[in-house]
Amino acid sequence: ESGETMGAAMRKDFLENVHEETGRLERLVTNLLEMTQLEAGAMQPKKEPNDPMDIIGSAVARVRKRMEGRKLEMKVPPDLPLVPMDGLLIGQVVTNLLDNALKYTPEGSPLEITSLVDKGQWVVEVSDRGPGVPEPDLPYLFDKFYRGPQKDKKSGAGLGLAICKGIVDIHGGTLSAENRPEGGMVFRLVLPIETETHA
C-alpha cells in the first residue's frame, strides 16, 4: 500500500517474508493433499532402479541453503547397488528428514547421513545432535498432527513425518526413530532391495 514511499530495504524484507509465507502455505496444501492420497490408497509408487547417492545428493541440495554454518558428515559408500523405488517420493522423504533435523536442532549443530546395505536392504540414517524427543512421545512421532514438545516455538501442521511414514510403507519399507545415547535423534529409513532371478 505504501508503494514507492517505502524504502528499498523495507520492500526487500516484505518481499522475502511474502516469499517465505507463500512457500509455507504451499507446503501445507501439498502435505494435506498427499495425506489424503495416502489414506485413500491413491498414491502408488513408480518403482525404478535408482542410485542411492543421487537420491541423497538431491535431498542435500534442496536444503543446502538452510545448512549454512552446519557441518554435514556423509558416510555413503560409492558402490551401493541400485535400489528399486520411486525416486521422487523417497527423495521427498530424505529431504523431509533433513528439513526436520534442521528445524528442531540448535543452529550450528552438526548433522550426519549414513547409507549402507544390510541383509538385502538399503538403509539410510539421518542423525542430529538436538534435544531429541521424550521417550513417552516416541510412539506418536509419526502420527498425524503430532508436533512434539517444541510445538509452541515451531510452525507446522504435524503432517511431514506422517507422510514420510506413509510413503515408506507403500514401498514395503520401514521408517523409525530413536533417541541417541550420546544425545540427539536418528531417523532410519529401510527399503528392500529386490533382486530378480532369471531361469
Side-chain angles (χ1 to χ4, degrees), residues 42-48 85-86 89-90 167 170-172:
M43 186 181 289
Q44 296 300 324
K46 298 173 183 175
K47 289 187 181 182
E48 295 178 346
M85 63 176 124
D86 188 315
L89 291 179
I90 296 300
I167 289 173
I170 62 176
H171 275 79

Side-chain angles (χ1 to χ4, degrees), residues 138-195:
L138 276 176
Y140 309 105
L141 199 58
F142 297 101
D143 288 357
K144 283 185 301 180
F145 309 119
Y146 172 84
R147 294 185 55 218
Q150 301 182 66
K151 59 181 176 293
D152 295 333
K153 301 176 185 177
K154 303 291 181 180
S155 62
L159 288 172
L161 289 178
I163 290 171
C164 287
K165 181 78 163 58
I167 289 173
V168 175
D169 284 349
I170 62 176
H171 275 79
T174 60
L175 182 60
S176 58
E178 61 186 50
N179 289 309
R180 306 173 77 185
E182 64 272 36
M185 290 202 72
V186 55
F187 285 85
R188 185 174 296 106
L189 161 64
V190 181
L191 290 184
I193 301 175
E194 300 164 359
T195 55

Side-chain angles (χ1 to χ4, degrees), residues 27-35 38-39 96 142-147 156-165:
R27 287 192 296 274
L28 174 61
V29 172
T30 299
N31 282 346
L32 289 169
L33 289 172
E34 289 184 344
M35 198 73 245
L38 283 166
E39 291 182 333
N96 204 315
F142 297 101
D143 288 357
K144 283 185 301 180
F145 309 119
Y146 172 84
R147 294 185 55 218
L159 288 172
L161 289 178
I163 290 171
C164 287
K165 181 78 163 58

